Amino acid sequence: MHYSAAMHTQPPALLLAAGRGERMRPLTDHTPKPLLQVQGRPLLEWHLQALADAGVARAVINTAWLGERISQQFSSHFGPKGAPGKREQLSISYSHEDQDFGRALETAGGIARALPLLGPVFWLAAGDVFAPDFPFDAAAAQRFARGDALAHLWLVENPAHHPLGDFGLSEGGLALNPAPGSSAPRYTYSTIALLRAGLFAAPWCDIPAGNPGGVAAPLAPLLRRAMDAGRVTAELYRGRWTDVGTPERLAALNATAPPQG
């Protein structure tokens, strides 16, 4: 099923914010990682602001560890109130995995759980990644919606902490699942993507619709199956990007000047 709204409309977004942030302890003992301050604002707020600026009308945030703190921080809307010539506020809803199941459901499990709140096509971004230049471009969403790929990934050059990367990239823009031992170049998945709900159905995924049983499952195996079938596209992202996975990386970000604009 293709996203068929008018070309003036953005698909909704899902922001992943359910992780415990073990490597960030003790900072995350009392603060969920997406609410840690990065250059003067909560990390998750950077994505919310970019989505609002890009004209995305609805965002879903999945939560688990200290999830109530996230919903208290952002309530049900984000951004300035609508005014003449201004965009409407970004509407926010939540998929509280901790309240429903007492634990996080990993990436694919969490996405499957949130699908009823989304649509046939949606943006995906991890709430613990800092990517202040990423535009959430409506034209990219429209191109994806018109095609038949199940996912479109943004890849980045491998950071020092992940030197082997995740996926390959063909000259024609297909994401590749490298064979074991392959020496072909790999890149790191930025955790930003456009996804089709069909990726979370057979034959790619065996979690029932809406994940009523709270199955926990990672996303990478689904992506690799779809890559092997030629159903995942990708491109390199050259903007600023940091996986804020350790206190040292957070401190390095906060030691730099805030982005302009």
Side-chain angles (χ1 to χ4, degrees):
M1 183 176 182
H2 287 195
Y3 181 80
S4 59
M7 291 299 117
H8 307 291
T9 304
Q10 281 265 35
L14 174 60
L15 300 179
L16 302 174
R20 172 66 176 83
E22 290 286 351
R23 292 176 301 166
M24 294 293 288
R25 297 184 69 183
L27 299 179
T28 52
D29 284 346
H30 304 288
T31 301
K33 184 160 61 166
L35 294 189
L36 294 175
Q37 292 284 311
V38 175
Q39 298 183 0
R41 65 173 80 169
L43 178 55
L44 190 62
E45 187 175 312
W46 290 95
H47 281 333
L48 291 171
Q49 186 64 63
L51 290 167
D53 290 345
V56 174
R58 294 193 301 112
V60 178
I61 302 173
N62 79 326
T63 71
W65 175 249
L66 300 177
E68 72 283 353
R69 294 280 305 278
I70 295 174
S71 55
Q72 289 167 3
Q73 175 78 32
F74 296 115
S75 187
S76 61
H77 290 86
F78 177 85
K81 292 186 181 297
K86 301 293 185 182
R87 296 190 188 279
E88 294 296 319
Q89 288 182 306
L90 176 66
S91 174
I92 301 175
S93 56
Y94 295 89
S95 177
H96 289 302
E97 296 167 15
D98 52 337
Q99 294 179 13
D100 295 337
F101 303 105
R103 55 187 169 81
L105 303 181
E106 300 189 51
T107 307
I111 296 170
R113 179 65 177 172
L115 278 183
L117 301 174
L118 296 164
V121 166
F122 55 94
W123 288 101
L124 180 76
D128 57 357
V129 161
F130 181 66
D133 305 315
F134 193 82
F136 293 99
D137 182 39
Q142 292 155 15
R143 286 192 299 271
F144 177 72
R146 290 193 296 264
D148 65 354
L150 292 164
H152 183 81
L153 312 181
W154 277 265
L155 307 176
V156 296
E157 298 287 350
N158 299 328
H161 60 84
H162 192 55
L164 299 182
D166 299 307
F167 306 124
L169 180 61
S170 78
E171 291 186 0
L174 285 176
L176 304 176
N177 177 22
S182 170
S183 61
R186 300 187 192 195
Y187 301 94
T188 292
Y189 169 41
S190 71
T191 72
I192 301 173
L194 282 159
L195 298 182
R196 204 176 297 278
L199 179 63
F200 301 90
W204 322 106
C205 179
D206 57 5
I207 300 174
N211 198 359
V215 175
L219 179 62
L222 278 65
L223 291 174
R224 293 186 188 280
R225 287 179 206 130
M227 286 177 195
D228 289 342
R231 299 288 303 277
V232 180
T233 55
E235 64 185 275
L236 283 179
Y237 174 59
R238 304 287 188 183
R240 290 170 291 180
W241 179 89
T242 301
D243 173 4
V244 188
T246 65
E248 292 76 18
R249 287 180 226 156
L250 178 63
L253 280 176
N254 284 329
T256 62
Q260 300 299 309

